[in-house]
Amino acid sequence: MERSSEEGTAADEEDGDRAGRSEDEGVEVTPACNPSETVSRDGGPDLSMDVLALRLWKGLVHQDQEESERKTGPHISRGGGEVVEPERDAPSVSPFSFTDTCAPSISSLSSSYSSTHHHANFSSSSSSSSLSLTPPLPPSVELSAVLTDTRLTLDVYQGGAAALPLLWRSVPDQLKGLQYLRLGSEDKPGLDVALDVLPHLTQLCSVAIRGHCFYDSQGDPLPGLLTTLPASVSSLTLLVHLDLSFNQLSCLPPCLLRLPALSSLLLCHNYLSALPPDIDQLSTLTYLSLLGNQLVSLPPNLGQLKALQTLDVSYNHLQQLPDEIGDLGELVKLELSHNKLKQLPETMGSLLSLRELVIYSNDLRMIPHCLNKLPLLKIEVRDNPLGRPPTPPPLPPPSDQTETNIPELHLGFTDHSFCVSSAGCHVFIPGGAELLFPPGCLVRRTRLEWVERRPERKWVWLEEHDILLSRPLELRPHGITFLKPVEVCVPYHRTKRREVVVRKFDGQSWSTLSTVLRTGSENHSSHPGGRPARLACCSVNQFSWFMAVSRPVKDICSVTPAGALLVSSSVPGIKLHFPPDSTVDTRAITLQVLQVSVSEVQALFADPQASVSPLLCLSQTPNLQFLQPIKVQVPLPAGVTGHTVDKSCLHLLHGDPAGQTWTDITSQVSLHFTHVYAVFYITHFSWYWLWYTTKTCVSGMVRKVYQKLKQFKVQFFILQRKADPSQVLLQCLPSTKVDDRVQSLAEQYEGPQPSDLCDLLEGEQFFAGFERGLDISTDRPDCVGGRLRFEFYSSLKNLKEVYISPAQGQKGPVRGQVSFYRGEIPSDLPEEVARKRKGHDNQWLATLPLRLPALNSENNYIMEEVQHPPLNLGDPESGYLTEANMMSISLQIGQDWRVIGINLGLSYTELDRIQYKHRDNLGALVLDMLFHWAKGQRNAGPGAVSRLMAAMVESGRKDLAEEIEDIVNLGRRKYTESLRRVGLEAESPSLSETQQ
């Protein structure tokens, strides 16, 4: 099975790898300097001021560039749906990134910085500084805001390029000494008149004319409109740096070939399809960036650029490189990522200065041996089909096949059948799936059906470490045979660094199909108005069940008696060397690599020093021992090096996937170590895992760790609809998706917090049982004795929505719970399991409470309940608080509510429910906690207020306890006075004795 790459999302997958690269990486130019600019006012050299000025200018422009990149975002879309990265290496080497020893004065820099970033008005003694540039610049802008002694910056205001001819007519003497110029290219008329002035500025050493400097009202970058340069630009004989990125150049302007001092040329994100054959005339070029163009080849004369140190041709359409590229003797960095290269020329072994080669996201199946001669070379090779057998070229279409417009059919959620004629049809199924019936695949008009199944064991088959990415899609009738292959595209959830394949079930067995990944149609997404779906596509001749699955990347090669080398595409440091005569017949070898989290292993193994290598899953067909030992190279466990490691702590484990056993074979194999790799020799293929631990490595413990690593951390939901509490949503999700799901349901549902973390295996069954007065009122086929069956798949929303009602004979307010249990649905749940709610249990997973509204006299639900009915606490003799008193106290509790609730005796579950119900309202949360406790004190006897005061003191809120005591004393005094007024006050002992 060939590993496919998803078209249109290449930049998506790599944006993290490219982030943070500097635009002026590796480029440094020292222009010629005017001696007069390096002299201070007293006539002496002022080097410290020059250096400070240079640093200030560098910081200013670097800040401008970073702000522009943040606005541009990590992805830039171009016509035709191509997605490319923003210019990341292209040094956009602005004049301010050069080592400029001729820096302007601090005063001019400060005024320019202030104007550029704050649009402040400037005052200057110079007559030219009050020159009005309006239009095209804002009225507040004066000359000192954009012009210093050697720099003119006109790309900070939209349409600023049009100011250049105004300045040339007004202050030509000041402009003749310009060395650095920046223009925006979003305004075509202004740019055209600015280009007419450009040849007169003969002292220029750096020019930037870039698009994407400004943004429209929707926040989209404005494209550059530069299509060519006038021939007179060749008069800029001192020009060292030129940046024309984000424009519309379709060919290299001929005038550039006549710039004798040009060192850095940036043509990123244009529309260049070819370079001129005489590009070797740029003999002084050291940096050339052609990122994000449409190049299909490079001219041989490119090899004559003897001074070139950095070449970036990534994000083009190159299929091969010329052999002359090996003549670039000074080349240090070569960027070739995101092209269509199938091989690299052997002449690259001559690039002795090369230190960085970026070739990921191509179609390379092998790395030339010549690159092994470059020991200091760092290569990035991911996302290439390394080690796989070559793919035969696609067959040409039949001569009688002509392009026709296939009709489209968009189905609704209720349209589960559709008709396809001999003309073919492109069918769009709700949820993102697509079916492409080519013309002539059917003889007559036929009615077909589709249905999306719930993932159950009957419809789903998963191998070790597989993850289900879609629901099973059933296409009927199963027995129909198509005359031409039909393309079935299943939408899938995104997965990183794993392989996505389509599995097919024909009613008896599952099989994995050759899969191609692509992006769905723009006008058909999995969610209305959303982004196009990611599709896993396969070609079939018959209908059945289909689903998308992700698995560890499979690297496959054929081993002949001549031997072979297989390199993992996901972890290039893993290699299998097959010596000659290791087999008589050709064998198909499959290598899978499973990355393992070291922190998880340390926690499960209870050893903070433990570390593991990636897990190797090796298989072959036919499954026979090799005649010669096979050399296996695997990276050492993280944090371990071959020179400092205690080799007695390294253990090589052999795994038997069928028997689920692990055996320590360290003493049975020849095990060697380099600085970063372990090398061993085997004749039998299975699973291999290298461990480092200070404990005695027990195979049984490794087996338990492996079993634990296969489990997923999940949490359960029991949410009730706010408008109808009898409607309950049950859901099980991976723990990483819980917070977003809770937030999305908050407006319609309420309920307790999600359960604690539980462990489930992919595809494992569990069931939910309603208990303590609750029952399911609907007739469900998956319900047995009031219990619903589930099947867990980690990447899907595993949910059911049901109606619940009081159990038969239930009277009064309905309270209950739903408990989740692992395993098959039992006929009778054991009492000890139902009773057990904490600690380790093989069946019990979680329990969450449920609440239904009470029934009124007409046996209907009472939907409206008073949240806080009038409530007084305590009694006049031992202490009394009115509802108004308690509300006043609640306003002062604040963030201490949970500690106070615990000291009042409320359970953690009750506090979690209260916190979830009022998670956005602290005041309502505190009030609910206090009144919830007060309601429970109605039948608790006297002393409730005393208990509240004690809880306040224990919680560190003695101030509230004293306030409650003052309220109680005042209440007692008033109560005593009221008794005295009506003559019911009890006689005191002293009064009785006096009367006697």
Side-chain angles (χ1 to χ4, degrees):
M1 225 288 298
E2 291 293 327
R3 185 188 180 199
S4 306
S5 61
E6 183 172 357
E7 297 180 11
T9 59
D12 243 13
E13 302 291 340
E14 305 301 333
D15 51 356
D17 299 319
R18 299 292 185 130
R21 293 193 181 181
S22 172
E23 275 201 336
D24 32 13
E25 177 180 300
V27 179
E28 184 176 69
V29 175
T30 305
C33 134
N34 185 347
S36 63
E37 295 177 5
T38 62
V39 180
S40 63
R41 293 182 179 180
D42 57 2
D46 191 3
L47 297 178
S48 62
M49 295 291 282
D50 285 343
V51 172
L52 182 59
L54 174 61
R55 290 179 180 175
L56 179 59
W57 266 110
K58 283 186 176 181
L60 163 62
V61 177
H62 186 60
Q63 179 178 348
D64 284 341
Q65 290 176 349
E66 287 186 341
E67 180 179 357
S68 175
E69 289 174 2
R70 286 196 300 270
K71 291 180 179 179
T72 304
H75 307 109
I76 299 169
S77 255
R78 298 175 54 183
E82 182 185 19
V83 181
V84 296
E85 290 181 342
E87 178 185 351
R88 69 241 185 287
D89 294 313
S92 173
V93 183
S94 60
F96 323 108
S97 64
F98 293 111
T99 307
D100 183 6
T101 59
C102 312
S105 67
I106 294 295
S107 60
S108 65
L109 287 174
S110 302
S111 65
S112 176
Y113 179 88
S114 193
S115 172
T116 302
H117 286 267
H118 307 290
H119 293 188
N121 290 323
F122 286 82
S123 60
S124 174
S125 59
S126 171
S127 60
S128 62
S129 66
S130 59
L131 174 67
S132 172
L133 300 180
T134 308
L137 299 184
S140 60
V141 179
E142 298 180 355
L143 182 60
S144 59
V146 294
L147 177 64
T148 64
D149 293 339
T150 60
R151 292 173 169 79
L152 178 60
T153 306
L154 295 176
D155 62 347
V156 291
Y157 302 104
Q158 192 166 343
L164 184 59
L166 297 179
L167 293 172
W168 178 249
R169 289 194 295 269
S170 304
V171 287
D173 292 338
Q174 272 188 274
L175 263 61
K176 286 182 180 179
L178 283 181
Q179 294 185 17
Y180 306 105
L181 175 65
R182 294 183 65 91
L183 300 174
S185 57
E186 78 290 343
D187 175 34
K188 189 69 165 92
L191 178 63
D192 290 341
V193 295
L195 291 177
D196 293 338
V197 178
L198 197 61
H200 300 287
L201 310 178
T202 56
Q203 297 301 310
L204 283 174
C205 63
S206 174
V207 174
I209 308 176
R210 294 165 52 97
H212 283 201
C213 293
F214 306 98
Y215 304 85
D216 58 20
S217 57
Q218 283 75 37
D220 297 324
L222 294 175
L225 303 179
L226 180 69
T227 56
T228 187
L229 289 176
S232 54
V233 170
S234 59
S235 62
L236 304 178
T237 56
L238 299 181
L239 193 65
V240 174
H241 163 260
L242 180 62
D243 185 356
L244 304 177
S245 302
F246 296 101
N247 281 292
Q248 300 183 22
L249 299 172
S250 58
C251 61
L252 191 72
C255 61
L256 300 185
L257 301 177
R258 296 190 293 276
L259 296 174
L262 190 63
S263 174
S264 300
L265 178 59
L266 292 91
L267 302 169
C268 311
H269 303 300
N270 279 277
Y271 297 93
L272 301 175
S273 57
L275 297 178
D278 53 349
I279 195 173
D280 57 317
Q281 295 184 32
L282 295 172
S283 57
T284 58
L285 208 61
T286 62
Y287 189 103
L288 176 59
S289 180
L290 299 162
L291 177 148
N293 281 275
Q294 300 175 4
L295 298 173
V296 295
S297 63
L298 297 177
N301 279 4
L302 186 71
Q304 298 303 312
L305 301 179
K306 301 298 185 180
L308 195 62
Q309 298 178 11
T310 300
L311 175 61
D312 187 350
V313 287
S314 55
Y315 285 95
N316 280 278
H317 308 297
L318 300 176
Q319 297 185 13
Q320 61 181 2
L321 298 177
D323 291 337
E324 289 78 5
I325 200 167
D327 297 334
L328 299 175
E330 298 298 321
L331 196 63
V332 175
K333 182 177 181 180
L334 179 58
E335 284 262 8
L336 301 170
S337 62
H338 293 279
N339 280 283
K340 301 177 180 179
L341 297 173
K342 296 182 180 296
Q343 62 182 6
L344 299 177
E346 291 287 339
T347 56
M348 290 182 65
S350 303
L351 300 176
L352 301 181
S353 298
L354 193 62
R355 294 295 179 268
E356 186 172 355
L357 176 61
V358 182
I359 53 175
Y360 60 77
S361 297
N362 278 282
D363 194 23
L364 298 171
R365 298 178 182 273
M366 63 173 294
I367 304 298
H369 294 290
C370 63
L371 296 180
N372 294 333
K373 303 176 183 178
L374 309 175
L376 300 180
L377 179 61
K378 176 185 177 183
I379 309 178
E380 297 184 35
V381 298
R382 63 182 181 276
D383 293 332
N384 280 286
L386 295 174
R388 298 185 185 178
T391 303
L395 297 176
S399 57
D400 59 345
Q401 181 175 350
T402 58
E403 292 204 8
T404 59
N405 292 326
I406 299 178
E408 293 186 356
L409 177 60
H410 294 263
L411 302 178
F413 283 96
T414 58
D415 302 328
H416 283 275
S417 65
F418 56 94
C419 292
V420 178
S421 66
S422 59
C425 189
H426 193 171
V427 181
F428 297 91
I429 297 177
E434 298 181 17
L435 307 175
L436 183 59
F437 298 88
C441 67
L442 290 170
V443 177
R444 60 181 65 86
R445 183 180 176 88
T446 306
R447 178 167 292 277
L448 305 172
E449 298 178 350
W450 72 275
V451 64
E452 200 174 55
R453 297 278 187 179
R454 286 187 176 275
E456 298 178 2
R457 285 193 188 278
K458 180 179 180 181
W459 317 115
V460 175
W461 170 69
L462 297 174
E463 295 179 345
E464 288 282 321
H465 315 300
D466 286 351
I467 296 177
L468 185 66
L469 299 181
S470 72
R471 293 184 182 274
L473 176 66
E474 183 182 6
L475 302 175
R476 298 186 295 227
H478 294 178
I480 188 172
T481 301
F482 300 104
L483 302 180
K484 294 181 179 179
V486 174
E487 186 178 40
V488 177
C489 296
V490 181
Y492 67 92
H493 301 274
R494 185 177 182 178
T495 181
K496 290 185 178 180
R497 301 193 180 280
R498 292 174 69 95
E499 187 176 28
V500 179
V501 295
V502 175
R503 291 247 172 88
K504 172 186 174 183
F505 180 57
D506 59 9
Q508 295 182 349
S509 62
W510 285 91
S511 58
T512 301
L513 304 178
S514 178
T515 307
V516 176
L517 306 183
R518 67 175 178 85
T519 303
S521 174
E522 291 286 342
N523 58 358
H524 180 65
S525 64
S526 55
H527 301 286
R531 60 178 294 174
R534 295 181 176 87
L535 299 179
C537 302
C538 60
S539 296
V540 298
N541 291 317
Q542 286 189 334
F543 273 177
S544 58
W545 290 265
F546 302 91
M547 67 179 185
V549 170
S550 78
R551 65 184 184 187
V553 176
K554 279 192 174 183
D555 296 301
I556 302 174
C557 75
S558 296
V559 178
T560 65
L565 170 65
L566 177 58
V567 181
S568 169
S569 59
S570 56
V571 183
I574 296 178
K575 299 179 181 180
L576 304 180
H577 297 262
F578 298 89
D581 301 324
S582 59
T583 179
V584 175
D585 300 320
T586 301
R587 305 191 189 192
I589 305 299
T590 300
L591 165 65
Q592 286 181 286
V593 178
L594 185 68
Q595 296 282 16
V596 180
S597 170
V598 174
S599 59
E600 284 189 63
V601 169
Q602 291 174 349
L604 296 173
F605 205 70
D607 180 6
Q609 303 299 321
S611 186
V612 293
S613 72
L615 172 60
L616 272 62
C617 305
L618 306 176
S619 60
Q620 58 170 325
T621 303
N623 189 17
L624 301 173
Q625 287 203 357
F626 290 94
L627 304 178
Q628 298 288 337
I630 308 303
K631 178 183 176 182
V632 180
Q633 174 183 295
V634 61
L636 286 168
V640 177
T641 64
H643 299 309
T644 60
V645 66
D646 182 355
K647 297 180 181 179
S648 64
C649 297
L650 276 173
H651 303 268
L652 181 64
L653 278 298
H654 168 266
D656 180 5
Q660 296 294 311
T661 59
W662 289 90
T663 307
D664 190 342
I665 60 171
T666 311
S667 60
Q668 304 172 24
V669 299
S670 175
L671 189 60
H672 306 284
F673 305 102
T674 66
H675 184 65
V676 292
Y677 296 109
V679 178
F680 57 92
Y681 294 84
I682 56 176
T683 58
H684 173 68
F685 269 9
S686 185
W687 292 357
Y688 294 92
W689 204 358
L690 189 63
W691 276 64
Y692 181 84
T693 174
T694 57
K695 295 186 176 182
T696 302
C697 191
V698 180
S699 301
M701 295 179 65
V702 174
R703 179 176 60 85
K704 291 180 180 179
V705 171
Y706 174 74
Q707 289 293 335
K708 200 72 174 177
L709 290 174
K710 292 199 302 179
Q711 295 179 344
F712 296 86
K713 299 292 185 181
V714 301
Q715 289 181 280
F716 295 96
F717 288 82
I718 305 295
L719 302 181
Q720 293 178 265
R721 190 177 288 274
K722 292 180 179 179
D724 181 7
S726 65
Q727 187 174 353
V728 175
L729 177 73
L730 286 77
Q731 185 163 2
C732 175
L733 275 183
S735 58
T736 55
K737 300 184 178 181
V738 168
D739 293 338
D740 292 340
R741 184 64 174 161
V742 170
Q743 186 175 0
S744 65
L745 295 173
E747 294 184 1
Q748 300 180 17
Y749 293 88
E750 62 181 355
Q753 289 279 8
S755 72
D756 293 334
L757 289 176
C758 309
D759 287 331
L760 282 177
L761 289 170
E762 185 93 38
E764 185 174 0
Q765 289 184 350
F766 66 93
F767 60 92
F770 293 86
E771 301 170 6
R772 295 179 56 186
L774 294 176
D775 202 355
I776 303 177
S777 60
T778 55
D779 182 17
R780 299 183 63 93
D782 55 356
C783 172
V784 177
R787 299 183 181 92
L788 290 176
R789 185 185 65 200
F790 289 73
E791 193 108 12
F792 172 71
Y793 292 96
S794 65
S795 295
L796 296 180
K797 295 177 180 177
N798 196 65
L799 62 91
K800 284 182 170 64
E801 195 156 12
V802 299
Y803 283 86
I804 59 174
S805 62
Q808 188 174 4
Q810 182 75 28
K811 296 181 181 180
V814 180
R815 300 290 188 272
Q817 64 191 26
V818 60
S819 298
F820 293 90
Y821 303 93
R822 172 185 278 113
E824 299 292 336
I825 298 179
S827 57
D828 185 20
L829 191 67
E831 182 180 354
E832 60 273 14
V833 174
R835 194 169 56 241
K836 191 169 186 178
R837 291 291 178 264
K838 292 184 179 179
H840 175 71
D841 189 275
N842 289 330
Q843 287 188 280
W844 176 79
L845 289 170
T847 297
L848 290 173
L850 278 176
R851 177 188 61 83
L852 285 181
L855 298 174
N856 59 20
S857 58
E858 299 177 357
N859 208 35
N860 294 324
Y861 287 125
I862 302 174
M863 302 306 296
E864 297 292 336
E865 285 190 80
V866 181
Q867 186 175 7
H868 298 295
L871 178 65
N872 299 322
L873 182 66
D875 58 273
E877 289 81 5
S878 61
Y880 185 80
L881 294 177
T882 65
E883 181 175 301
N885 296 146
M886 286 191 291
M887 293 184 70
S888 175
I889 294 169
S890 71
L891 295 176
Q892 305 176 59
I893 290 178
Q895 298 292 343
D896 296 325
W897 70 274
R898 192 175 185 89
V899 178
I900 294 173
I902 292 173
N903 291 325
L904 287 173
L906 296 180
S907 67
Y908 287 96
T909 302
E910 291 171 327
L911 294 174
D912 287 342
R913 291 186 61 188
I914 293 171
Q915 184 179 18
Y916 181 83
K917 185 176 182 180
H918 305 288
R919 55 191 177 278
D920 298 323
N921 189 338
L922 179 61
L925 188 153
V926 175
L927 200 63
D928 196 356
M929 180 276 296
L930 189 58
F931 276 72
H932 179 78
W933 173 78
K935 288 177 185 178
Q937 301 300 309
R938 286 174 168 172
N939 302 320
V945 176
S946 300
R947 287 191 287 273
L948 179 60
M949 293 170 59
M952 294 296 181
V953 173
E954 191 175 354
S955 305
R957 295 303 302 269
K958 189 176 180 180
D959 58 325
L960 289 181
E962 292 174 350
E963 181 174 336
I964 294 172
E965 186 176 10
D966 291 341
I967 295 173
V968 168
N969 291 336
L970 179 62
R972 285 173 178 165
R973 189 166 58 250
K974 290 182 178 181
Y975 177 69
T976 303
E977 291 174 355
S978 66
L979 291 180
R980 184 181 298 116
R981 282 196 302 270
V982 297
L984 297 177
E985 182 181 13
E987 297 179 351
S988 64
S990 58
L991 181 60
S992 301
E993 293 174 359
T994 304
Q995 290 176 346
Q996 288 177 354

